[in-house]
Amino acid sequence: MPRLTTLDIRQMKEKGEPIAMVTAYDATFARLIDQAGADMLLVGDSLGMVVQGHESTLPVTMEHMIYHCQAVVRGSQRAMVVGDLPFMSYQVSVERALENAGRLLAEGGCHAVKLEGGERSAAAARAMVQAGIPVVGHLGLTPQSVYALGGFKVQGKTEEAARRLIDDAKRLEDAGVFAIVLETIPVPVAEAITRSLAVPTIGIGAGVHCDGQVLVSYDMLGLFEELTPKFVKRYDDLGARTRVAVRAYVDEVKARTFPSDEFSFR
Ligand code: KIV
């Protein structure tokens, strides 16, 4: 089955077909999410929180990202795999940004990279695009700036902040990104940005008018229970179901009823 490409993703906006993106961090989940029909897999630096147990995404390194991207690419067949550029891998200089973006493709096997920020990241995004690296932008609540933003809060609430977001989106589009993630911003602002761009927007906490949606897999499946933002819809409760299943196993081990003959060799 051929992988979806940036052309397919752009065409989906043109045809009005919503884009479904989900995060994945390992081959097993990548396979399941891919088989379920997600168009794009995001190897998000959210792995710092949901996989590594940190309080933010900031400790994630290029080596971590490459390792997880390789696993997700191996596990999937159809979806386009986008790898997050981690904190400080693209902010220091355009040269360093280009080098690290190249590593996510060459070593991680990703098909595109994602970076946070508008105007401040536009030069890096442009250099990547010119080097043939597909780029996804990320605006609104940008988790790598969580301390500067004062927490995981709704962005773009004032008229001035909304206008800045719209300008930032334009700057990214001019730099050549093929899609933009909009995180935790008011619905009308996301709608205005979506209407003003030729490239698709992919919303998370940004309402229904975006061209696509993205959710963190551990959130939507109920695996990450520490923090549940308002925009997360839980499609299952695998956290609770895991505890029930493992408790049953523990009880059987303690009672010496597992392994029974069925699971043993004679
Ligand atoms: O790291 C991540 O998972 C993300 C999504 C929340 C968009 O950037």
Side-chain angles (χ1 to χ4, degrees), residues 21 23 25 42-47 57 84 114 116 138 143 181 183 202 204 214-216 231:
M21 183 191 236
T23 69
Y25 315 102
L42 173 63
V43 189
D45 61 356
S46 50
L47 69 86
T57 61
D84 255 345
K114 176 166 81 59
E116 297 183 3
H138 185 160
V181 167
E183 179 163 355
I202 302 177
I204 173 163
V214 54
L215 279 179
V216 170
F231 58 75

Side-chain angles (χ1 to χ4, degrees), residues 100-238:
N100 284 323
R103 288 189 70 195
L104 278 193
L105 263 66
E107 297 175 46
C110 286
H111 313 113
V113 302
K114 176 166 81 59
L115 47 63
E116 297 183 3
E119 187 181 358
R120 66 184 162 94
S121 301
R126 185 183 304 277
M128 293 170 198
V129 173
Q130 282 172 353
I133 300 171
V135 180
V136 177
H138 185 160
L139 295 173
L141 171 50
T142 44
Q144 291 174 11
S145 308
V146 62
Y147 297 128
L149 297 175
F152 295 101
K153 296 193 171 126
V154 181
Q155 302 298 306
K157 288 208 289 193
T158 64
E159 208 167 298
E160 192 201 333
R163 207 177 307 279
R164 222 175 308 125
L165 278 175
I166 295 171
D167 288 348
D168 274 340
K170 227 35 209 142
R171 294 295 292 266
L172 287 176
E173 183 173 62
D174 290 346
V177 306
F178 75 93
I180 301 179
V181 167
L182 299 176
E183 179 163 355
T184 322
I185 63 173
V187 174
V189 180
E191 184 177 11
I193 294 174
T194 302
R195 281 184 198 281
S196 71
L197 298 178
V199 298
T201 58
I202 302 177
I204 173 163
V208 75
H209 303 293
C210 295
D211 299 300
Q213 299 293 328
V214 54
L215 279 179
V216 170
S217 48
Y218 279 47
D219 287 340
M220 64 177 287
L221 297 173
L223 281 167
F224 187 67
E225 299 167 324
E226 279 69 17
L227 190 84
T228 309
K230 172 183 157 75
F231 58 75
V232 171
K233 178 171 177 182
R234 278 205 183 169
Y235 286 84
D236 207 325
D237 199 354
L238 295 191

Side-chain angles (χ1 to χ4, degrees), residues 1-3 9 29 39 55 57 62 86-87 91 95 120 126 149 176 178 184 207 217 234 249:
M1 187 180 295
R3 291 258 185 204
I9 301 302
F29 266 105
D39 303 303
E55 70 162 27
T57 61
M62 276 301 298
F87 182 56
Q91 293 91 338
E95 289 72 23
R120 66 184 162 94
R126 185 183 304 277
L149 297 175
F178 75 93
T184 322
S217 48
R234 278 205 183 169
Y249 161 76

